[in-house]
Amino acid sequence: MDGTAVPEEEHGTAESLVVLDGRMELVVQGDPVAVGPGEVYRVPAGTAHAVGPGSHGTLLIVEVSETG
């Protein structure tokens, strides 16, 4: 993440967003959520979310299957 905002999106599967270093400024269904290094934020399937400006560092995105 280089400080640039990423537009709002929704996915058909859940995602776990893992901040390896830095800080992610999320907007989840209109609400701000800050996620710091070593933290994980789970975004349920079908949830509107965006990465706000100022987010920086390394982000790992894991799609999570909700079957079974």
Side-chain angles (χ1 to χ4, degrees), residues 11-38:
H11 305 284
T13 59
E15 292 181 327
S16 288
L17 306 175
V18 184
V19 178
L20 300 178
D21 60 69
R23 185 175 177 89
M24 181 172 54
E25 303 296 338
L26 281 175
V27 179
V28 180
Q29 293 188 305
D31 294 324
V33 177
V35 186

Side-chain angles (χ1 to χ4, degrees), residues 12-15 42 44-45 63-68:
T13 59
E15 292 181 327
R42 183 175 165 93
E63 284 192 17
V64 180
S65 172
E66 294 187 5
T67 60

